[in-house]
Amino acid sequence: MTKYLNPGLVKTSRRNVLRGSVLAGAAAVTGVGAMATPRTPKLHGVNAVSARIYNAAGKQEATSTAKPADLSGYTRVKQELVAPPYAPVHEQVATGGPKIVEITMETEERLIVVDEDNGAEIWALTYNGSVPGPLIIVHEGDMVELTLRNPTSSNMEHNIDFHASTGALGGGGLTHVYPGEECVLRWKATKPGCFTYHCAPGGDMIPYHVTHGMNGAIMVLPRDGLKDKDGNLLRYDSIAYFGEQDFYLPKDENGDYKRYEAAGDDYADSLEAMRTLIPTHSVFNGAVGALTGEGAIKAKVGETVLMVHNQANRDSRPHLIGGHGTYVWESSFTDAPLRDMETWFVRGGSAVAAMYTFEQPGVYAYVNHNLIEGVMLGATAHVIVEGEWDNNLMEQVVAPHSFET
């Protein structure tokens, strides 16, 4: 039976799917020679123009003179990835020499509810089943060795582009996996900072996959840890990982959100909605209210939290209502952190880190301070902090009461 695995591109079956790929020509050569036979389905219109841009980024060569990577001095470790908003176990200051950090990610196409109030839902395209994908943490100089698997239950081709990596479209050209395929990619983390990763199959499928949740963040720590401008070590007690996702959900003629039977069925309708550049939802961690109530971040007075914020597609302006960004790294960890920020900036296609030590108990709201998106479209999370109130920082001198005129 044939079906559309890349809607709007070419009619495919399992046989020709295994022969075709949008970005085959963009794949850089590995150290042992060229990739497998090029896989190039026919493209049309704007999609073909986009694909040609990616093809021009790195032409496939028949042979390679590259030497195998020198892995002497590296030790292998496995990192167990965890679901957001949490972070994997890691060292803040690296001990020993550089490591090969082995991670495994499996793509999953799953139906999620974006807004329970109106039934809005989407066939999310995910890494490890979550929106955003899991946070990865390594140190500068480490090697990231990813096993990427696409199960046979998938309808689509997937890959991954690491903004922190160097070459082959961030690894995107070397990681195209069809249903039932897996690959292994190894790359060196040479630049410290927080970075986006996302799926980028080619053409319109790049924004389609990104706006269906297929993105996440990797944090590359300096080997000697985070520092202030004077070189003093900065430590945190925990990490809160916020993945801000803009969704563009199609509606019917009555203004109700459409529903679809399988991943990819919404392709044409989604492209039409995406071209408006106006999201129907802008949410943290996949759904309206996902990080509120029982899902809220928990902390205590005196605890220092490193807030990692990823937005793979649109600019954002995070603000912690009731707190601040004591140290904020908007660009990389090479730069000295900004100090005592009220609101900071996340450029579309990037991730940033902000550090704050909570000084008062209560509920803090972490929002996109484009308040239309933060309040009306869903980009609000809560941090619930336990502890003793400090009247030296704030005191209600007189409670609200009526007054005579």
Side-chain angles (χ1 to χ4, degrees):
M1 182 181 75
T2 59
K3 65 187 297 185
Y4 286 94
L5 295 184
N6 284 335
L9 302 185
V10 294
K11 196 172 185 180
T12 58
S13 65
R14 179 63 185 168
R15 178 177 297 176
N16 62 33
V17 154
L18 294 176
R19 296 201 302 259
S21 173
V22 174
L23 290 181
V29 178
T30 64
V32 295
M35 286 183 59
T37 303
R39 304 181 290 187
T40 53
K42 185 178 180 182
L43 303 178
H44 303 279
V46 174
N47 224 25
V49 173
S50 173
R52 284 197 294 270
I53 293 173
Y54 275 73
N55 287 337
K59 294 181 179 179
Q60 183 179 15
E61 298 177 9
T63 59
S64 173
T65 58
K67 297 179 181 179
D70 183 4
L71 302 180
S72 59
Y74 286 87
T75 57
R76 286 187 172 270
V77 297
K78 289 186 178 181
Q79 182 167 107
E80 296 296 331
L81 301 179
V82 298
Y86 304 106
V89 174
H90 64 282
E91 296 179 322
Q92 296 186 39
V93 176
T95 57
K99 298 173 177 61
I100 299 173
V101 182
E102 300 175 355
I103 58 174
T104 299
M105 297 174 74
E106 184 167 296
T107 66
E108 182 180 351
E109 302 162 4
R110 58 187 298 247
L111 185 65
I112 65 171
V113 176
V114 176
D115 190 343
E116 291 183 350
D117 288 344
N118 55 31
E121 62 184 30
I122 189 171
W123 277 95
L125 309 179
T126 74
Y127 296 107
N128 285 13
S130 65
V131 178
L135 179 64
I136 305 164
I137 302 179
V138 298
H139 287 88
E140 183 181 8
D142 287 346
M143 292 277 193
V144 178
E145 188 169 287
L146 166 71
T147 299
L148 181 65
R149 293 176 178 151
N150 190 358
T152 56
S153 57
S154 294
N155 286 339
M156 295 185 182
E157 166 194 11
H158 299 294
N159 73 339
I160 192 165
D161 166 8
F162 286 102
H163 286 198
S165 68
T166 303
L169 301 175
L174 299 175
T175 53
H176 286 265
V177 284
Y178 284 96
E181 293 182 340
E182 67 175 20
C183 68
V184 179
L185 176 73
R186 186 174 59 239
W187 56 274
K188 188 173 184 178
T190 60
K191 296 180 170 42
C194 291
F195 300 87
T196 287
Y197 65 78
H198 62 85
C199 191
D204 293 340
M205 275 300 194
I206 300 172
Y208 178 83
H209 281 234
V210 170
T211 59
H212 280 63
M214 209 158 195
N215 59 83
I218 179 170
M219 181 165 68
V220 181
L221 290 167
R223 298 201 69 79
D224 55 354
L226 297 176
K227 302 287 184 66
D228 66 14
K229 67 179 180 62
D230 297 318
N232 299 308
L233 182 65
L234 299 172
R235 288 189 176 274
Y236 47 87
D237 296 303
S238 63
I239 288 177
Y241 172 36
F242 302 94
E244 186 174 356
Q245 181 64 58
D246 46 320
F247 287 124
Y248 303 79
L249 305 188
K251 297 181 180 180
D252 62 21
E253 62 276 6
N254 298 319
D256 297 323
Y257 290 106
K258 292 185 176 182
R259 296 187 176 187
Y260 301 89
E261 292 186 3
D265 287 355
D266 68 341
Y267 181 76
D269 291 339
S270 287
L271 289 192
E272 184 176 352
M274 288 157 54
R275 286 192 180 99
T276 68
L277 301 181
I278 302 174
T280 56
H281 300 81
S282 182
V283 301
F284 289 129
N285 293 37
V288 175
L291 297 182
T292 63
E294 293 183 359
I297 307 296
K298 305 296 194 300
K300 295 180 179 180
V301 169
E303 287 187 355
T304 299
V305 178
L306 185 69
M307 298 167 283
V308 177
H309 188 126
N310 180 70
Q311 223 305 1
N313 197 54
R314 285 167 57 89
D315 295 346
S316 184
R317 295 152 182 83
H319 172 73
L320 180 66
I321 300 177
H324 305 88
T326 306
Y327 299 96
V328 177
W329 293 267
E330 281 189 356
S331 53
S332 72
F333 293 144
T334 303
D335 297 331
L338 300 171
R339 284 298 314 270
D340 301 325
M341 301 292 289
E342 56 175 328
T343 301
W344 43 103
F345 187 54
V346 181
R347 299 159 181 83
S350 69
V352 307
M355 184 181 289
Y356 181 66
T357 301
F358 286 93
E359 300 180 73
Q360 295 276 43
V363 178
Y364 293 72
Y366 183 93
V367 302
N368 177 341
H369 213 283
N370 176 335
L371 293 176
I372 299 168
E373 297 192 31
V375 176
M376 299 175 68
L377 300 188
T380 295
H382 289 164
V383 183
I384 299 176
V385 180
E386 297 180 349
E388 295 296 322
W389 184 264
D390 185 354
N391 277 333
N392 291 311
L393 289 172
M394 181 180 287
E395 182 178 8
Q396 184 184 61
V397 179
V398 179
H401 66 284
S402 60
F403 61 92
E404 296 181 2
T405 59

